[in-house]
Amino acid sequence: MKYLIIGGVAGGATVAARLRRMDEKAEIILFERGEYVSYANCGLPYYIGDTIKNRNKLFVQTVKGFTDRFRIDIRTGQEVTRILPESKQVEIKILSTEETYTETYDKLVLSPGAEPLRPRIEGIESKKIFTLRNVPDTDTIKNYVNAENPRTAVVVGGGFIGLEMAENLHELGIHVTVVEMADQVMAPLDYSMAAIVHQQLVSKHVGLMLEDGVSRFEETSGGVTVHLKRGKQIPADMVLLSIGVRPETRLAKEAGLTIGTLGGIAVNDYMQTSNPDIYALGDAVEVRHLVTGRPALIPLAGPANKQGRIVADNIVFGNKETYDGTMGTSIAKVFDLTVATAGANAKLLKREGIAYQSSYTHGASHAGYYPGAVPLSIKLLFAPENGRLLGAQVVGFGGVDKRIEMLAQVIQRKGTVYELTELEHAYAPPYSAAKDPVNMAGFVAENLLTGKAKAIQWREIENLSPDTVCIDVRTRDEYNLGTIPGFINLPVDELREHLAELPKDKPIVVTCAVGLRGYLAYRILTQNGFTNVRNLSGGYKTWSVATAKIKNEPIDASCPSGNISNKTSGPNTPCESAPVTTTIKVDTCGLTCSGPII
């Protein structure tokens, strides 16, 4: 049998290696138009930022190593320009010589990946505007940074790659501004969780311009001026475009293969295209979303690798292995934060008309009394009729990876939030608590589903009826540090002594720091005859983060610290002076809320 594979990296290289392991006698040819057949494209930003210092560490396998081990005919620098399904042939161009030739196949695998979007914007062809997709792109950016020593950069697009690049450029001492057309960064997150990321970016002196886009680029002698649609202009020494990708489908379209509704190559459960002798996988194909059941484009390396194994097995043994779908489990480092998501977010569920409830919990990465516990926030989305877990988002400073994986496993097997309450985890104080944050998130969701509690979401607070009684049940010291406008202070420990002063014929909303004391207050009130009570999900923490105003100012590169200035920018604009502070070390082990100490 003769197998041809178009494209290497995660998907194509996996197919090639698996094919050889399953069929020692087959003729296998892999075409890669680039120079490298298998490299760690997810590691590219970290090489640019000097976290990965050795460039060779990026290469999972070299052409020689791949050929020596698997005896696969790898042809780099060669591009398949045309597929002829009727004759089962492909046309290939050798890029260095422009020569062309043809190869026949018994089975063909498409793994062309996706290409970065470069919209038709005036000035976008400037050599100081970059995209990051492959090793040559990485080398170009790295060489520019090393040679030109840029002081300022604009990253257009606040997705995972955009923020990873913002961090890595920042680590090189470059003043970075992120421009994002949406009202938040990281689209897979819901706004309230993305707001935590906004805080992190601003605290690291990264400029953040939300709800604004680029109207044009203007190359100058000193760099590039980014003209925004709302009128602002940002001068920069370099620009990185990270506004998304689109599947590479030209070959498939010209070969007459079916293209899906979202623009990716349509495949069946066996990863087979509309032509039975052609399979496709990776970023170029549409998959079934595990939660919605609808077609989705989810360009992630993990699914591509798994699809590659399935494709190879189906080619060799016949269509027996199926790919059930993808739920988009993903994770990223954003400075000190780790951000992770799995399943569907609220925007997707609304778009697909799927009913859901949501809950927020804020805990710690491990037992609070053990040193080093750091904040961990979890949002769950679940079906109100049966509690099926539809999506999960975790943002925090430690332990995020293992929590999202616990949650993703429940989503993948179509489990419920009730299962979260029973998940058995490895417990020791340095790693978790006896009741893990995932267990706690399950308890909160279970209480909502079973009627033990009723929640109100942060967006609803501003639309409360005038007769609503709003109670902040934190301590007086916490209350004095900041509260939601219109909330009165009645600490939960004193609530029972003041029940007679509260009206039973009016709606009551309670809040605390993160929702726990609010739940206790809710239970006290409802068991004492108050029938219209709701607890603010996620408490004051969720509300304050989600409603915090973003300055929407570019970074002030004239300041050594990169502080974002409120003043009008200009050559004589004074820097914001950093306050002089004295550091006092306080041991707060065991405290859920730091308010009393403050």
Side-chain angles (χ1 to χ4, degrees):
M1 296 291 283
K2 184 177 182 180
Y3 308 131
L4 302 186
I5 302 166
I6 301 174
V9 198
T14 298
V15 174
R18 180 71 173 176
L19 280 173
R20 175 57 75 221
R21 290 195 295 271
M22 298 299 103
D23 188 347
E24 179 65 19
K25 303 300 182 182
E27 181 182 1
I28 305 170
I29 305 174
L30 188 153
F31 299 98
E32 171 57 54
R33 64 187 171 197
E35 183 181 348
Y36 308 100
V37 66
S38 184
Y39 58 89
N41 51 359
C42 296
L44 300 181
Y46 300 99
Y47 170 65
I48 292 171
D50 277 345
T51 299
I52 299 171
K53 297 186 181 298
N54 186 344
R55 182 176 178 274
N56 290 331
K57 296 286 187 182
L58 296 172
F59 302 106
V60 179
Q61 185 61 274
T62 64
V63 173
K64 184 179 186 306
F66 213 94
T67 303
D68 290 347
R69 177 160 297 178
F70 296 106
R71 298 299 191 268
I72 292 168
D73 184 356
I74 296 177
R75 303 180 187 178
T76 57
Q78 299 191 25
E79 181 177 9
V80 175
T81 56
R82 192 178 175 201
I83 301 171
L84 305 168
E86 297 82 7
S87 58
K88 298 182 75 171
Q89 289 181 306
V90 297
E91 293 181 355
I92 305 104
K93 180 168 69 174
I94 302 173
L95 298 179
S96 60
T97 64
E98 299 291 316
E99 295 177 74
T100 61
Y101 67 98
T102 62
E103 284 283 358
T104 61
Y105 64 85
D106 292 306
K107 299 291 183 182
L108 177 67
V109 178
L110 288 174
S111 182
E115 59 182 342
L117 291 172
R118 285 185 73 95
R120 294 179 180 177
I121 298 174
E122 181 184 342
I124 200 170
E125 299 306 323
S126 168
K127 298 297 183 184
K128 298 171 183 176
I129 300 176
F130 306 91
T131 56
L132 180 62
R133 180 195 181 192
N134 50 35
V135 174
D137 292 342
T138 305
D139 291 337
T140 300
I141 297 170
K142 186 78 169 175
N143 292 337
Y144 181 86
V145 169
N146 290 340
E148 302 297 330
N149 294 312
R151 292 183 61 252
T152 57
V154 170
V155 175
V156 182
F160 281 58
I161 299 298
L163 294 192
E164 287 174 352
M165 277 304 302
E167 176 184 352
N168 280 281
L169 292 174
H170 182 278
E171 292 300 309
L172 294 174
I174 299 171
H175 297 284
V176 182
T177 296
V178 175
V179 176
E180 170 55 55
M181 180 77 77
D183 64 350
Q184 67 168 83
V185 299
M186 292 191 155
L189 293 176
D190 289 322
Y191 183 87
S192 51
M193 299 297 278
I196 304 173
V197 184
H198 298 165
Q199 282 191 340
Q200 175 73 180
L201 292 171
V202 171
S203 73
K204 294 295 181 180
H205 308 302
V206 172
L208 190 56
M209 307 288 291
L210 299 175
E211 297 185 272
D212 210 345
V214 178
S215 61
R216 67 185 178 96
F217 298 104
E218 178 187 359
E219 185 165 340
T220 64
S221 57
V224 178
T225 299
V226 183
H227 294 260
L228 301 184
K229 292 181 178 179
R230 291 192 171 187
K232 289 189 176 180
Q233 300 176 15
I234 310 174
D237 297 323
M238 63 180 292
V239 174
L240 183 91
L241 288 179
S242 184
I243 54 178
V245 296
R246 63 180 163 214
E248 286 211 25
T249 58
R250 182 187 63 81
L251 283 174
K253 286 179 180 177
E254 293 177 358
L257 303 181
T258 300
I259 303 300
T261 56
L262 301 178
I265 302 171
V267 293
N268 61 18
D269 291 347
Y270 305 108
M271 303 307 297
Q272 194 174 35
T273 69
S274 54
N275 184 304
D277 294 315
I278 302 177
Y279 292 75
L281 71 154
D283 297 355
V285 305
E286 289 186 10
V287 295
R288 183 189 302 111
H289 195 288
L290 270 177
V291 173
T292 68
R294 303 283 296 165
L297 293 170
I298 304 178
L300 294 171
N305 276 279
K306 296 173 182 67
Q307 292 161 14
R309 184 182 177 92
I310 290 170
V311 165
D313 284 359
N314 286 338
I315 287 174
V316 176
F317 303 116
N319 288 344
K320 296 178 180 178
E321 301 294 329
T322 59
Y323 185 71
D324 294 332
T326 307
M327 62 176 146
T329 306
S330 52
I331 191 166
K333 175 181 178 294
V334 183
F335 292 94
D336 301 328
L337 271 182
T338 302
V339 182
T341 178
N345 61 16
K347 294 184 287 290
L348 177 59
L349 294 172
K350 287 177 183 175
R351 189 163 66 242
E352 296 294 339
I354 298 174
Y356 70 93
Q357 278 185 267
S358 61
S359 66
Y360 297 92
T361 51
H362 303 284
S365 56
H366 59 246
Y369 58 82
Y370 185 89
V374 286
L376 185 76
S377 298
I378 298 178
K379 180 178 183 180
L380 300 183
L381 300 107
F382 47 93
E385 71 277 7
N386 58 14
R388 179 187 169 189
L389 186 59
L390 305 173
Q393 298 160 36
V394 187
V395 178
F397 296 89
V400 171
D401 52 345
K402 72 175 180 179
R403 272 60 185 226
I404 199 65
E405 286 164 1
M406 293 165 70
L407 293 161
Q409 292 304 307
V410 175
I411 296 172
Q412 187 171 23
R413 64 172 183 264
K414 299 182 179 180
T416 70
V417 295
Y418 301 110
E419 294 176 40
L420 301 182
T421 67
E422 301 174 357
L423 277 182
E424 186 173 331
H425 62 285
Y427 162 59
Y431 304 105
S432 182
K435 289 185 285 190
D436 189 80
V438 171
N439 298 139
M440 296 302 297
F443 294 146
V444 170
E446 179 190 44
N447 285 339
L448 295 175
L449 287 169
T450 57
K452 296 182 181 70
K454 289 183 181 178
I456 183 172
Q457 302 299 327
W458 66 272
R459 289 185 187 274
E460 302 175 75
I461 293 298
E462 65 177 351
N463 297 317
L464 291 173
S465 61
D467 62 337
T468 303
V469 178
C470 301
I471 307 172
D472 186 328
V473 300
R474 295 176 297 162
T475 65
R476 291 180 178 82
D477 288 335
E478 291 175 275
Y479 179 84
N480 290 333
L481 287 169
T483 189
I484 303 172
F487 276 67
I488 61 172
N489 185 217
L490 185 54
V492 67
D493 292 344
E494 304 171 18
L495 181 59
R496 292 179 179 87
E497 285 70 46
H498 295 274
L499 293 176
E501 303 166 21
L502 298 175
K504 291 187 175 180
D505 59 344
K506 293 183 179 181
I508 296 176
V509 171
V510 293
T511 188
C512 64
V514 297
L516 174 58
R517 284 172 288 175
Y519 170 64
L520 299 178
Y522 174 92
R523 296 300 301 166
I524 292 169
L525 290 168
T526 55
Q527 293 180 84
N528 280 279
F530 295 85
T531 58
N532 191 355
V533 184
R534 288 182 291 171
N535 179 28
L536 176 59
S537 184
Y540 179 70
K541 180 171 183 176
T542 292
W543 178 87
S544 60
V545 170
T547 59
K549 301 300 181 185
I550 301 297
K551 288 184 179 180
N552 263 17
E553 289 287 341
I555 203 69
D556 184 355
S558 64
C559 297
S561 65
N563 285 340
I564 301 173
S565 175
N566 287 321
K567 304 177 178 66
T568 305
S569 60
N572 299 315
T573 301
C575 295
E576 288 183 346
S577 10
V580 179
T581 58
T582 301
T583 301
I584 300 174
K585 195 170 183 179
V586 180
D587 184 351
T588 60
C589 278
L591 284 181
T592 301
C593 308
S594 59
I597 291 294
I598 295 171

